[in-house]
Amino acid sequence: MKAKLSYRADIEGLRALAVILVILYHYQVPGITGGFIGVDVFFVISGFVITQLLERAFQKDTFRFRDFYARRIRRLVPVFLLVSTATFLMISPFYIGDAYYIFAKSWLASLIGLSNVYYFNELTQYFAPETLSLSLLHTWSLAVEEQFYLLWPASLYLAYRFGKGRNAHWPFRITLVATFALSVYMASGHPAAAYYLLPARLFEFMLGTGVALFSQQLPRLNRGSAETLALIGLILIVATALLITKHDHFPGYNALWPTLGTAMVIYAGLHQPGTFTARLLSLPVMVFLGGISYSLYLWHWPPVALMHYQLIELTWLNRLLLIAGVVVLSWLSFRFVENR
């Protein structure tokens, strides 16, 4: 485990690209038919970043499960409480009947990291019309990530403690192929479970963890190779967001393209940080949006869900006002809550 932990502006840019795609998709911007793949980009990034953090702690013998989960709670919960409370106050004058009850159940499920299970049990599919007015629907992906945080630190800790000196990449490769095959099977035969539950998304996290764990064993890239790999990776992300639709099988093989593209960009940046793609992703506006991406993701959906509930049309003016308001709210919550 020799990967160095350092700040990567291009990874902040990847976060920005991911949240931009999700927002444009949820705000029904024409042409962004597959913007929901931004969530999958986040999963790869999370796998990479968390693995690097764990590696550093293992090497220094400073890892403590209690400290790891305390940091996760401080990082994730305060802003969620703020956004969910503001959402409750926002919907209260408008929601009636069972809408309150559904909100309360989804809030409790979100708070304990099980909203993906709740929505899987309650809804027929993610893209069903009735989901458009569910104010906390987007927290399903946060639950998937939190469940990964429960599994991966213990798994990596055991491998680090008892697997030293062994050839560890073969078990990882087998598991990666198996989890990808499971995702393809579930996306075809059990689409709702595939969309909401961790098993079908696990290979996406593993692509990120694989780059963190084995980048030193993979070929070292020269400038030309890194430029090509990073650019192809970025094209895969953007092309998937533009070409697939909610009617395609997902995740499965359709999720491979943006997640593999994300892993390629991250891997290229480990060897050649100054590629054209890295410079593009490191533009100040991208770094800024990447820094507030968690708050952006939390804030962007509740107001548009209320608009759907009120049958308000998403005009271009409404979209622009929503985006401006969400960016301001996200910066404020990042500055005064998330980053304290």
Side-chain angles (χ1 to χ4, degrees):
M1 297 183 176
K2 299 179 181 178
K4 294 181 179 179
L5 186 67
S6 59
Y7 175 76
R8 293 272 303 271
D10 60 325
I11 289 182
E12 291 285 30
L14 277 174
R15 288 193 178 102
L17 177 61
V19 78
I20 288 170
L21 290 175
V22 171
I23 291 173
L24 295 181
Y25 174 75
H26 282 158
Y27 288 4
Q28 299 177 5
V29 173
I32 315 298
T33 56
F36 51 85
I37 60 98
V39 168
D40 305 272
V41 173
F42 274 123
F43 290 160
V44 179
I45 296 171
S46 293
F48 174 77
V49 172
I50 289 298
T51 301
Q52 281 204 322
L53 290 171
L54 291 171
E55 283 184 311
R56 182 175 65 170
F58 293 157
Q59 291 166 2
K60 295 182 177 180
D61 197 26
T62 59
F63 177 76
R64 301 292 182 271
F65 285 99
R66 178 186 62 188
D67 295 338
F68 174 81
Y69 289 114
R71 285 194 298 270
R72 291 294 92 200
I73 290 170
R74 289 196 299 268
R75 169 77 172 84
L76 300 175
V77 173
V79 179
F80 168 75
L81 291 175
L82 171 67
V83 174
S84 59
T85 302
T87 299
F88 173 73
L89 296 174
M90 178 180 67
I91 68 174
S92 290
F94 306 102
Y95 278 34
I96 58 175
D98 289 343
Y100 272 128
Y101 182 54
I102 294 171
F103 177 84
K105 289 198 297 182
S106 66
W107 182 84
L108 290 171
S110 301
L111 188 62
I112 62 174
L114 291 175
S115 60
N116 61 328
V117 177
Y118 168 75
Y119 288 121
F120 167 66
N121 288 326
E122 294 291 326
L123 303 173
T124 57
Q125 57 173 315
Y126 177 79
F127 301 108
E130 65 266 22
T131 65
L132 293 177
S133 60
L134 298 178
S135 302
L136 297 178
L137 176 67
H138 61 321
T139 61
W140 73 268
S141 64
L142 304 180
V144 170
E145 195 160 331
E146 290 159 13
Q147 290 155 23
F148 172 74
Y149 292 157
L150 288 177
L151 294 175
W152 183 238
S155 301
L156 190 58
Y157 178 79
L158 292 174
Y160 187 77
R161 286 294 300 272
F162 303 108
K164 291 183 178 179
R166 299 181 182 181
N167 192 358
H169 61 86
W170 277 111
F172 183 89
R173 289 180 184 180
I174 293 170
T175 305
L176 177 61
V177 172
T179 53
F180 175 65
L182 176 63
S183 181
V184 172
Y185 166 74
M186 290 180 66
S188 178
H190 307 277
Y195 203 94
Y196 283 114
L197 303 183
L198 176 63
R201 305 280 182 167
L202 195 54
F203 84 92
E204 303 176 9
F205 291 99
M206 292 189 68
L207 284 171
T209 64
V211 174
L213 290 172
F214 304 114
S215 61
Q216 299 298 319
Q217 300 177 26
L218 295 171
R220 181 161 186 83
L221 301 176
N222 58 33
R223 184 56 181 262
S225 298
E227 290 278 6
T228 303
L229 194 70
L231 185 58
I232 292 174
L234 184 62
I235 290 172
L236 283 174
I237 297 170
V238 176
T240 308
L242 297 177
L243 295 177
I244 71 166
T245 72
K246 63 183 180 180
H247 304 295
D248 294 312
H249 288 308
F250 203 86
Y253 59 86
N254 281 318
L256 178 62
W257 317 125
T259 53
L260 183 61
T262 305
M264 291 164 66
V265 173
I266 294 173
Y267 175 55
L270 284 173
H271 297 285
Q272 300 290 338
T275 65
F276 168 78
T277 300
R279 295 197 305 272
L280 188 64
L281 292 171
S282 301
L283 291 172
V285 65
M286 297 296 284
V287 173
F288 169 73
L289 293 175
I292 64 172
S293 58
Y294 176 57
S295 288
L296 269 174
Y297 185 77
L298 283 177
W299 279 113
H300 88 278
W301 178 249
V304 79
L306 177 60
M307 291 180 66
H308 288 306
Y309 186 81
Q310 293 292 98
L311 302 178
I312 299 174
E313 183 183 358
L314 272 174
T315 63
W316 276 108
L317 177 61
N318 287 339
R319 292 187 185 106
L320 293 174
L321 290 174
L322 279 172
I323 291 171
V326 163
V327 169
V328 172
L329 283 173
S330 300
W331 179 82
L332 290 172
S333 62
F334 172 79
R335 173 68 179 81
F336 296 105
V337 180
E338 181 183 344
N339 201 34
R340 291 184 67 84

